[in-house]
Amino acid sequence: MRRTIDWDGDAVTIIDQTALPADYRVLTLRTVDELIDAIRRLAVRGAPALGAAGALGVVLATREGGDVRASADRVAKARPTAVNLSWGVARALEKLDDGAEAVLAEALEILDEDERLNRAASAHAAEIVLALCNRRPLRLLSHCNAGHLATVAWGSALGVVWHLHERGLVESVLVDETRPLLQGARLTAWELAQAGVPYQVQPDGAAAAAMARGLVDCVLVGADRIAANGDVANKIGTYGLAIAARHHGVPFVVVAPSSTVDASLATGAQIAIEERAPDELRTLAGAAITPPDAGVFNPAFDVTPAELISAVVTEHGRYRPR
Ligand code: MRU
């Protein structure tokens, strides 16, 4: 599969994640404003992919001229929760004094690194999952999309599935649909189908019941920001999954590149949580599903306390909270 986000020599190219699974199309983003719009619409999404987007945003800013640092700041603030976005911007900006070519080289290095680090993190996590679970082959549960599409390539939590599937160790994956934007039903299911991994999509509300019935050997999720103490921000619903997993004695494993660790935050209570537009909940596939002005609570992420997590795993192995 092509990279989720890439540089074609003149512009940023992304797989349009708003169109999948019905349409597979590639968008070309030539300006900082187009990139910011794509980030806000979730045409490009997922923490590691946002890291690459941040760095490429600085590349676009250098080409547009004007106040590069002000444009870079707008990119960094396009979404607040995934620390990778501002991390990618900051890494590219460090090269600004060396010129536009140095900024581009740094952004391309981030793109190259991404697959390598996600493969390594998910390989470590696969070994940890095998150590935590006795049953073979494994029945895994996934929330949101932490696959190829959430990274430049390969994936984090879903990368674990790829490693285990290569070894014939995956029986099936239960895919939380992930309301309201359906990253599980639309994107994770699409990736699993492409890879020939057996899966079932379930409503988010079915996850605890699946665990109660003994249908889940391990929960695997990605992360948008990991505080120094090991608290993890991830897609809304992750916290509830972790509570259910603890109640049922199911291991709960978080996989992310170390760029997702924000050591400047002591605990998850300090993580900014993005609130998204009410209409994401008031409508489904364009049709109204609530009274027109229904009040809406639509946080895009939640924070799972470290004590509910069996392991947080990066390319360096198990993350040791401070
Ligand atoms: O709102 P999204 O789709 O960007 O949220 C993405 C997630 O919550 C992912 O689980 C997270 O970024 C990890 S992706 C490897």
Side-chain angles (χ1 to χ4, degrees):
M1 212 193 304
R2 67 175 288 135
R3 283 175 166 182
T4 299
I5 177 164
D6 211 347
W7 177 252
D8 75 0
D10 279 317
V12 178
T13 57
I14 59 167
I15 299 174
D16 181 359
Q17 299 191 43
T18 63
L20 285 169
D23 286 323
Y24 177 92
R25 60 183 186 221
V26 174
L27 300 180
T28 302
L29 311 171
R30 300 185 186 283
T31 66
V32 168
D33 283 343
E34 285 174 5
L35 178 72
I36 289 173
D37 179 59
I39 292 170
R40 293 205 175 121
R41 292 188 302 111
L42 273 53
V44 57
R45 50 148 295 282
L50 290 176
L56 289 171
V58 182
V59 173
L60 290 176
T62 62
R63 296 190 166 216
E64 280 177 14
D67 186 340
V68 174
R69 287 183 193 277
S71 298
D73 193 52
R74 287 199 300 123
V75 174
K77 291 182 173 142
R79 293 187 75 193
T81 304
V83 69
N84 310 62
L85 180 58
S86 54
W87 166 89
V89 168
R91 237 182 96 171
L93 270 184
E94 272 171 29
K95 302 291 176 186
L96 190 58
D97 290 345
D98 301 330
E101 285 310 306
V103 170
L104 175 61
E106 188 68 7
L108 297 181
E109 175 59 26
I110 288 175
L111 294 176
D112 288 343
E113 243 176 47
D114 180 90
E115 177 169 358
R116 203 166 60 238
L117 300 185
N118 283 306
R119 277 184 183 271
S122 52
H124 284 303
E127 294 311 318
I128 290 169
V129 169
L130 290 172
L132 288 169
C133 307
N134 295 323
R135 195 175 189 280
R136 304 284 185 271
L138 291 156
R139 298 154 313 163
L140 304 164
L141 189 148
S142 146
H143 192 67
C144 194
N145 172 267
H148 179 98
L149 292 167
T151 59
V152 175
W154 186 257
S156 59
L158 220 49
V160 180
V161 174
W162 310 145
H163 281 301
L164 293 171
H165 179 63
E166 277 171 7
R167 295 160 66 180
L169 293 173
V170 177
E171 180 172 315
S172 62
V173 181
L174 270 176
V175 178
D176 278 357
E177 62 172 351
T178 318
R179 280 278 289 152
L181 297 180
L182 305 174
Q183 291 93 329
R186 296 188 302 106
L187 307 176
T188 299
W190 182 78
E191 289 197 39
L192 290 166
Q194 299 271 315
V197 178
Y199 70 91
Q200 285 179 300
V201 177
Q202 65 180 359
D204 301 329
M211 292 184 216
R213 288 198 205 175
L215 300 176
V216 181
D217 299 312
C218 187
V219 177
L220 285 170
V221 294
D224 289 88
R225 197 181 288 240
I226 301 165
N229 72 340
D231 291 350
V232 168
N234 190 51
K235 179 53 55 192
I236 191 71
T238 303
Y239 175 39
L241 275 181
I243 293 170
R246 174 56 55 90
H247 184 73
H248 293 291
V250 174
F252 186 95
V253 175
V254 177
V255 191
S258 60
S259 51
T260 309
V261 176
D262 183 353
S264 75
L265 301 186
T267 77
Q270 296 165 273
I271 298 174
I273 299 294
E274 178 183 6
E275 295 272 342
R276 291 191 58 87
D279 279 351
E280 287 182 354
L281 275 158
R282 292 181 184 140
T283 59
L284 191 60
I289 57 165
T290 67
D293 295 323
V296 164
F297 174 53
N298 188 18
F301 302 96
D302 58 26
V303 175
T304 300
E307 69 255 30
L308 294 178
I309 300 172
S310 311
V312 173
V313 190
T314 75
E315 70 275 13
H316 305 303
R318 200 184 273 247
Y319 175 72
R320 306 280 168 205
R322 277 167 256 168

